[in-house]
Amino acid sequence: MRRPARLPLEDLQPVLLEAPDPPAPLAWRTLFGNDHPVEIEVGFGKGLFLVGETQARSEVNFLGIEIERKLQLYTATRLVKRGVRNVKLVKADGRLFLRDCVAAGSVQAVHVYFPDPWWKKRHHKRRLFTAEFAEQCERVLRPGGELHIATDVEEYFGIITEMIAQSTKLRVLPPPTEKEPTHDLDYLTNFERKARKLGMAVYRAIYERGTS
């Protein structure tokens, strides 16, 4: 797939977001200019999920969090070229951003797709999913809100699901049905496309925050 030529920084500004300094919870209405529900993707990579969802669901606001600046700008270019405006992208550590900048009970869904498994034992501390991160996902969800997870690493999937079960009161829902893509952009993420074209299994889970 051809890499899109990056637009000038000033053209990307409508979708770029600076993390609050000092950290403080974001006011979604102020940020997006409306009261539409908000969904967050932590670790959006090259932005395929956001490209598809922001165009398909204009009635939802999306916030993407990514620790790498080059991926923030790459994805911003893809979104701006498509005229997408219901999205903001922030360069930040997702673990800290959820904790410090997202108000409790303010989000309709959190999406975490193909997080880096950090294979080496000495690097496990870099993994996105910790007990605290699982707790923060639960905290920011509104009642009835959902946490969506996917990975192609079975061992890491087991660690994640066990951590959620032990650290939160989120209720597991039936996993989503794996759809057959109709074209090369009709995948959840670039990682899903690569895994499925190689014939690898993808492990998925959805959790719901209770309404009481």
mmCIF file of all heavy atoms in Angstrom, residues 32-57:
data_model
loop_
_atom_site.group_PDB
_atom_site.id
_atom_site.type_symbol
_atom_site.label_atom_id
_atom_site.label_comp_id
_atom_site.label_asym_id
_atom_site.label_seq_id
_atom_site.Cartn_x
_atom_site.Cartn_y
_atom_site.Cartn_z
ATOM 1 N N PHE A 32 -15.006 18.839 21.023
ATOM 2 C CA PHE A 32 -15.611 18.463 19.749
ATOM 3 C C PHE A 32 -16.707 19.415 19.281
ATOM 4 O O PHE A 32 -17.139 19.340 18.130
ATOM 5 C CB PHE A 32 -16.182 17.047 19.836
ATOM 6 C CG PHE A 32 -15.136 15.967 19.926
ATOM 7 C CD1 PHE A 32 -14.864 15.333 21.133
ATOM 8 C CD2 PHE A 32 -14.412 15.591 18.811
ATOM 9 C CE1 PHE A 32 -13.904 14.338 21.222
ATOM 10 C CE2 PHE A 32 -13.450 14.590 18.882
ATOM 11 C CZ PHE A 32 -13.188 13.963 20.096
ATOM 12 N N GLY A 33 -17.193 20.277 20.161
ATOM 13 C CA GLY A 33 -18.231 21.217 19.772
ATOM 14 C C GLY A 33 -19.615 20.619 19.687
ATOM 15 O O GLY A 33 -20.506 21.200 19.067
ATOM 16 N N ASN A 34 -19.815 19.452 20.299
ATOM 17 C CA ASN A 34 -21.135 18.817 20.294
ATOM 18 C C ASN A 34 -21.218 17.844 21.470
ATOM 19 O O ASN A 34 -20.243 17.655 22.204
ATOM 20 C CB ASN A 34 -21.401 18.097 18.967
ATOM 21 C CG ASN A 34 -20.350 17.034 18.670
ATOM 22 O OD1 ASN A 34 -20.136 16.110 19.444
ATOM 23 N ND2 ASN A 34 -19.670 17.165 17.527
ATOM 24 N N ASP A 35 -22.388 17.241 21.628
ATOM 25 C CA ASP A 35 -22.612 16.303 22.733
ATOM 26 C C ASP A 35 -22.660 14.852 22.262
ATOM 27 O O ASP A 35 -23.237 13.991 22.935
ATOM 28 C CB ASP A 35 -23.916 16.644 23.461
ATOM 29 C CG ASP A 35 -23.802 17.933 24.269
ATOM 30 O OD1 ASP A 35 -22.737 18.148 24.863
ATOM 31 O OD2 ASP A 35 -24.775 18.708 24.277
ATOM 32 N N HIS A 36 -22.063 14.561 21.113
ATOM 33 C CA HIS A 36 -22.063 13.187 20.619
ATOM 34 C C HIS A 36 -21.251 12.279 21.553
ATOM 35 O O HIS A 36 -20.325 12.737 22.222
ATOM 36 C CB HIS A 36 -21.461 13.131 19.211
ATOM 37 C CG HIS A 36 -22.255 13.855 18.188
ATOM 38 N ND1 HIS A 36 -21.806 14.074 16.903
ATOM 39 C CD2 HIS A 36 -23.490 14.428 18.243
ATOM 40 C CE1 HIS A 36 -22.713 14.749 16.221
ATOM 41 N NE2 HIS A 36 -23.746 14.963 17.010
ATOM 42 N N PRO A 37 -21.587 11.002 21.604
ATOM 43 C CA PRO A 37 -20.807 10.076 22.437
ATOM 44 C C PRO A 37 -19.361 9.987 21.959
ATOM 45 O O PRO A 37 -19.067 10.223 20.779
ATOM 46 C CB PRO A 37 -21.542 8.747 22.273
ATOM 47 C CG PRO A 37 -22.318 8.889 21.001
ATOM 48 C CD PRO A 37 -22.700 10.338 20.902
ATOM 49 N N VAL A 38 -18.481 9.639 22.887
ATOM 50 C CA VAL A 38 -17.048 9.594 22.611
ATOM 51 C C VAL A 38 -16.536 8.166 22.753
ATOM 52 O O VAL A 38 -16.884 7.465 23.696
ATOM 53 C CB VAL A 38 -16.276 10.519 23.576
ATOM 54 C CG1 VAL A 38 -14.766 10.383 23.372
ATOM 55 C CG2 VAL A 38 -16.705 11.968 23.380
ATOM 56 N N GLU A 39 -15.704 7.754 21.796
ATOM 57 C CA GLU A 39 -15.017 6.475 21.873
ATOM 58 C C GLU A 39 -13.520 6.716 21.738
ATOM 59 O O GLU A 39 -13.086 7.606 21.008
ATOM 60 C CB GLU A 39 -15.519 5.514 20.794
ATOM 61 C CG GLU A 39 -17.003 5.215 20.915
ATOM 62 C CD GLU A 39 -17.481 4.065 20.050
ATOM 63 O OE1 GLU A 39 -16.627 3.352 19.475
ATOM 64 O OE2 GLU A 39 -18.713 3.878 19.950
ATOM 65 N N ILE A 40 -12.738 5.931 22.457
ATOM 66 C CA ILE A 40 -11.284 6.106 22.502
ATOM 67 C C ILE A 40 -10.600 4.860 21.964
ATOM 68 O O ILE A 40 -10.958 3.743 22.339
ATOM 69 C CB ILE A 40 -10.810 6.370 23.941
ATOM 70 C CG1 ILE A 40 -11.358 7.716 24.446
ATOM 71 C CG2 ILE A 40 -9.289 6.346 24.031
ATOM 72 C CD1 ILE A 40 -10.997 8.008 25.899
ATOM 73 N N GLU A 41 -9.607 5.060 21.094
ATOM 74 C CA GLU A 41 -8.721 3.964 20.710
ATOM 75 C C GLU A 41 -7.353 4.237 21.305
ATOM 76 O O GLU A 41 -6.759 5.286 21.054
ATOM 77 C CB GLU A 41 -8.605 3.804 19.195
ATOM 78 C CG GLU A 41 -7.742 2.586 18.848
ATOM 79 C CD GLU A 41 -7.520 2.365 17.362
ATOM 80 O OE1 GLU A 41 -7.796 3.282 16.563
ATOM 81 O OE2 GLU A 41 -7.037 1.278 17.015
ATOM 82 N N VAL A 42 -6.853 3.285 22.072
ATOM 83 C CA VAL A 42 -5.532 3.408 22.684
ATOM 84 C C VAL A 42 -4.537 2.631 21.828
ATOM 85 O O VAL A 42 -4.653 1.417 21.678
ATOM 86 C CB VAL A 42 -5.529 2.865 24.118
ATOM 87 C CG1 VAL A 42 -4.137 3.037 24.737
ATOM 88 C CG2 VAL A 42 -6.577 3.573 24.968
ATOM 89 N N GLY A 43 -3.571 3.350 21.245
ATOM 90 C CA GLY A 43 -2.591 2.731 20.370
ATOM 91 C C GLY A 43 -3.135 2.528 18.971
ATOM 92 O O GLY A 43 -3.338 1.399 18.534
ATOM 93 N N PHE A 44 -3.370 3.637 18.238
ATOM 94 C CA PHE A 44 -4.051 3.508 16.946
ATOM 95 C C PHE A 44 -3.121 3.152 15.789
ATOM 96 O O PHE A 44 -3.577 2.883 14.676
ATOM 97 C CB PHE A 44 -4.844 4.779 16.611
ATOM 98 C CG PHE A 44 -4.051 6.056 16.610
ATOM 99 C CD1 PHE A 44 -3.205 6.383 15.569
ATOM 100 C CD2 PHE A 44 -4.168 6.960 17.659
ATOM 101 C CE1 PHE A 44 -2.493 7.583 15.565
ATOM 102 C CE2 PHE A 44 -3.474 8.160 17.668
ATOM 103 C CZ PHE A 44 -2.620 8.467 16.613
ATOM 104 N N GLY A 45 -1.821 3.147 16.005
ATOM 105 C CA GLY A 45 -0.905 2.722 14.944
ATOM 106 C C GLY A 45 -1.042 3.553 13.688
ATOM 107 O O GLY A 45 -0.950 4.783 13.726
ATOM 108 N N LYS A 46 -1.288 2.903 12.557
ATOM 109 C CA LYS A 46 -1.435 3.607 11.276
ATOM 110 C C LYS A 46 -2.859 4.068 11.010
ATOM 111 O O LYS A 46 -3.160 4.586 9.933
ATOM 112 C CB LYS A 46 -0.926 2.736 10.134
ATOM 113 C CG LYS A 46 0.582 2.498 10.197
ATOM 114 C CD LYS A 46 1.078 1.712 8.991
ATOM 115 C CE LYS A 46 2.590 1.549 9.034
ATOM 116 N NZ LYS A 46 3.096 0.776 7.870
ATOM 117 N N GLY A 47 -3.742 3.852 11.983
ATOM 118 C CA GLY A 47 -5.048 4.511 11.948
ATOM 119 C C GLY A 47 -6.148 3.866 11.138
ATOM 120 O O GLY A 47 -7.180 4.498 10.904
ATOM 121 N N LEU A 48 -5.992 2.595 10.745
ATOM 122 C CA LEU A 48 -7.012 1.998 9.889
ATOM 123 C C LEU A 48 -8.374 1.937 10.579
ATOM 124 O O LEU A 48 -9.408 2.223 9.953
ATOM 125 C CB LEU A 48 -6.589 0.593 9.451
ATOM 126 C CG LEU A 48 -7.513 -0.102 8.449
ATOM 127 C CD1 LEU A 48 -7.702 0.743 7.197
ATOM 128 C CD2 LEU A 48 -6.959 -1.481 8.086
ATOM 129 N N PHE A 49 -8.400 1.584 11.860
ATOM 130 C CA PHE A 49 -9.676 1.538 12.580
ATOM 131 C C PHE A 49 -10.331 2.916 12.583
ATOM 132 O O PHE A 49 -11.523 3.052 12.287
ATOM 133 C CB PHE A 49 -9.464 1.060 14.009
ATOM 134 C CG PHE A 49 -10.686 1.187 14.881
ATOM 135 C CD1 PHE A 49 -11.728 0.287 14.764
ATOM 136 C CD2 PHE A 49 -10.797 2.216 15.807
ATOM 137 C CE1 PHE A 49 -12.871 0.411 15.562
ATOM 138 C CE2 PHE A 49 -11.919 2.339 16.604
ATOM 139 C CZ PHE A 49 -12.964 1.435 16.477
ATOM 140 N N LEU A 50 -9.575 3.950 12.900
ATOM 141 C CA LEU A 50 -10.143 5.295 12.966
ATOM 142 C C LEU A 50 -10.582 5.790 11.593
ATOM 143 O O LEU A 50 -11.616 6.460 11.465
ATOM 144 C CB LEU A 50 -9.132 6.265 13.570
ATOM 145 C CG LEU A 50 -8.836 6.070 15.059
ATOM 146 C CD1 LEU A 50 -7.724 7.015 15.512
ATOM 147 C CD2 LEU A 50 -10.079 6.277 15.901
ATOM 148 N N VAL A 51 -9.839 5.484 10.565
ATOM 149 C CA VAL A 51 -10.227 5.891 9.207
ATOM 150 C C VAL A 51 -11.592 5.314 8.856
ATOM 151 O O VAL A 51 -12.474 6.008 8.339
ATOM 152 C CB VAL A 51 -9.165 5.440 8.185
ATOM 153 C CG1 VAL A 51 -9.703 5.564 6.751
ATOM 154 C CG2 VAL A 51 -7.902 6.283 8.319
ATOM 155 N N GLY A 52 -11.782 4.027 9.149
ATOM 156 C CA GLY A 52 -13.056 3.404 8.820
ATOM 157 C C GLY A 52 -14.201 3.856 9.693
ATOM 158 O O GLY A 52 -15.283 4.212 9.198
ATOM 159 N N GLU A 53 -13.980 3.902 11.004
ATOM 160 C CA GLU A 53 -15.066 4.196 11.932
ATOM 161 C C GLU A 53 -15.501 5.654 11.895
ATOM 162 O O GLU A 53 -16.698 5.953 12.015
ATOM 163 C CB GLU A 53 -14.652 3.815 13.357
ATOM 164 C CG GLU A 53 -14.489 2.328 13.583
ATOM 165 C CD GLU A 53 -15.793 1.579 13.366
ATOM 166 O OE1 GLU A 53 -16.764 1.837 14.090
ATOM 167 O OE2 GLU A 53 -15.814 0.729 12.450
ATOM 168 N N THR A 54 -14.567 6.578 11.758
ATOM 169 C CA THR A 54 -14.954 7.990 11.734
ATOM 170 C C THR A 54 -15.802 8.319 10.519
ATOM 171 O O THR A 54 -16.698 9.168 10.590
ATOM 172 C CB THR A 54 -13.716 8.901 11.740
ATOM 173 O OG1 THR A 54 -12.826 8.515 10.686
ATOM 174 C CG2 THR A 54 -12.980 8.826 13.066
ATOM 175 N N GLN A 55 -15.551 7.639 9.412
ATOM 176 C CA GLN A 55 -16.361 7.880 8.207
ATOM 177 C C GLN A 55 -17.704 7.163 8.274
ATOM 178 O O GLN A 55 -18.719 7.693 7.803
ATOM 179 C CB GLN A 55 -15.586 7.420 6.967
ATOM 180 C CG GLN A 55 -14.328 8.238 6.697
ATOM 181 C CD GLN A 55 -13.590 7.748 5.474
ATOM 182 O OE1 GLN A 55 -13.712 8.285 4.371
ATOM 183 N NE2 GLN A 55 -12.817 6.683 5.667
ATOM 184 N N ALA A 56 -17.718 5.984 8.881
ATOM 185 C CA ALA A 56 -18.951 5.203 8.942
ATOM 186 C C ALA A 56 -19.908 5.703 10.011
ATOM 187 O O ALA A 56 -21.124 5.526 9.897
ATOM 188 C CB ALA A 56 -18.618 3.730 9.186
ATOM 189 N N ARG A 57 -19.353 6.337 11.074
ATOM 190 C CA ARG A 57 -20.189 6.741 12.209
ATOM 191 C C ARG A 57 -19.927 8.210 12.552
ATOM 192 O O ARG A 57 -19.269 8.529 13.537
ATOM 193 C CB ARG A 57 -19.924 5.841 13.412
ATOM 194 C CG ARG A 57 -20.299 4.388 13.165
ATOM 195 C CD ARG A 57 -20.362 3.627 14.467
ATOM 196 N NE ARG A 57 -19.044 3.398 15.036
ATOM 197 C CZ ARG A 57 -18.811 3.225 16.329
ATOM 198 N NH1 ARG A 57 -19.784 3.319 17.213
ATOM 199 N NH2 ARG A 57 -17.586 2.993 16.755
#
